[in-house]
Amino acid sequence: MARGTRSRRLGFALGLLLALALAPRALRAKPTVRKERVVRPDSELGERPPEDNQSFQYDHEAFLGKDDSKTFDQLTPNESQERLGKIVDRIDNDGDGFVTTEELKTWIKRVQKRYIYDNVAKVWKDYDRDKDHKISWEEYKQATYGYYLGNPAEFQDSSDHHTFKKMLPRDERRFKAADLDGDQTATREEFTAFLHPEEFEHMKEIVVLETLEDIDKNGDGFVDQDEYIADMFSHEDNSPEPDWVLSEREQFNEFRDLNKDGKLDKDEIRHWILPQDYDHAQAEARHLVYESDKNKDEKLTKEEILENWNMFVGSQATNYGEDLTKNHDEL
């Protein structure tokens, strides 16, 4: 999915002061491996390549949520399977002993929604400084950019000056888009839309615009093939491009550049990162059922899920998750 805000470089002093405030905006270093902006396409399940660590990680986050996927990194295989069995009982809504694709889809949507609202709850108090159960633009601006605004001379010669000069109006624009009643304050729901715009229909134009601004390095209002690739992959030496990069170039030509003019406009970017005919939860549920359904009856028993437990949850032995702290009753 369009996936969060872009990399930003912070100076040491500013980073220390703002790390907490900026944490929900997903600060990351620019990767040298593949980076996705959109939920992976729903390819024909029978043609999927064998699962590897990276795709298992994706399954774990979809099934458990980004935070709760950490659970099973701390557990033995037996402990992981025991906890997974308790989760399966909760997914089986009608108690018939089978988990259907629809039940899995409902669970994955619930996990995704819980992650988003838990994330907002964790950071809410850092921004709601006057404790009025709303966050004004001024509160957010001061919590996030206060030190920079109060000490601009410290950053005149650094890349941070340019970064924050760019990010401040961009955040204000996004805040205004999330603020549906225009009162310059955000309710819990409006602030959720601000932090997770890809989850809200009225915020999708902002997601498209920010994506364009991030990738369009020459400022011509379009994304050409080299800019498209540079957003996913960064050469650190003169070695040949990996096969997946060559494949992405073909994807750009065949499927991204719909009007074949050699570049992506806003409509083509929207089609790429926010595909209208794609249901992430449905695709992931179908994938998990397909990979685990030994007798091909299109539904899963608890035994079938537990036999393929490492796809769902991972373990310390395989090092596929991170570290789950919540008890299964909290899931």
Side-chain angles (χ1 to χ4, degrees), residues 139-260:
E139 284 177 310
Y140 178 81
K141 182 174 72 172
Q142 289 303 317
T144 306
Y145 299 102
Y147 186 82
Y148 165 74
L149 294 171
N151 303 273
E154 294 186 23
F155 306 98
Q156 291 297 329
D157 299 325
S158 73
S159 60
D160 298 315
H161 175 72
H162 174 75
T163 298
F164 279 84
K165 190 175 181 180
K166 173 184 175 183
M167 291 306 301
L168 177 56
R170 176 162 151 160
D171 273 355
E172 184 173 15
R173 181 183 65 194
R174 186 195 282 198
F175 193 94
K176 287 179 178 178
D179 178 21
L180 289 177
D181 60 9
D183 64 354
Q184 298 185 43
T185 63
T187 63
R188 184 74 65 125
E189 188 73 3
E190 288 171 333
F191 197 64
T192 302
F194 172 69
L195 290 183
H196 299 276
E198 69 279 0
E199 301 298 330
F200 292 80
E201 191 63 36
H202 69 281
M203 297 295 290
K204 289 185 177 180
E205 288 304 311
I206 285 288
V207 174
V208 172
L209 181 57
E210 290 182 0
T211 301
L212 173 61
E213 291 172 344
D214 288 341
I215 307 177
D216 175 23
K217 299 305 181 185
N218 64 13
D220 67 351
F222 299 93
V223 173
D224 62 35
Q225 187 184 103
D226 288 337
E227 289 170 331
Y228 172 82
I229 294 299
D231 182 61
M232 304 177 186
F233 176 75
S234 178
H235 272 111
E236 293 192 340
D237 51 40
N238 294 321
S239 60
E241 290 182 339
D243 288 344
W244 72 261
V245 174
L246 300 178
S247 176
E248 279 295 338
R249 290 191 183 277
E250 293 176 3
Q251 287 282 318
F252 181 94
N253 291 330
E254 295 180 23
F255 303 109
R256 309 285 185 238
D257 181 16
L258 300 177
N259 62 8
K260 309 305 178 187

Side-chain angles (χ1 to χ4, degrees), residues 64-110:
L64 295 168
K66 289 186 178 180
D67 288 337
D68 293 337
S69 67
K70 299 176 181 180
T71 310
F72 296 87
D73 189 39
Q74 304 299 315
L75 305 176
T76 66
N78 286 340
E79 290 170 330
S80 293
Q81 292 177 64
E82 180 182 356
R83 292 204 183 188
L84 174 59
K86 294 174 181 177
I87 293 172
V88 171
D89 291 337
R90 299 191 63 189
I91 298 173
D92 179 15
N93 287 328
D94 59 11
D96 67 351
F98 297 98
V99 170
T100 65
T101 300
E102 191 63 27
E103 286 173 327
L104 261 180
K105 182 178 96 170
T106 299
W107 173 264
I108 290 168
K109 284 184 178 292
R110 175 186 171 189

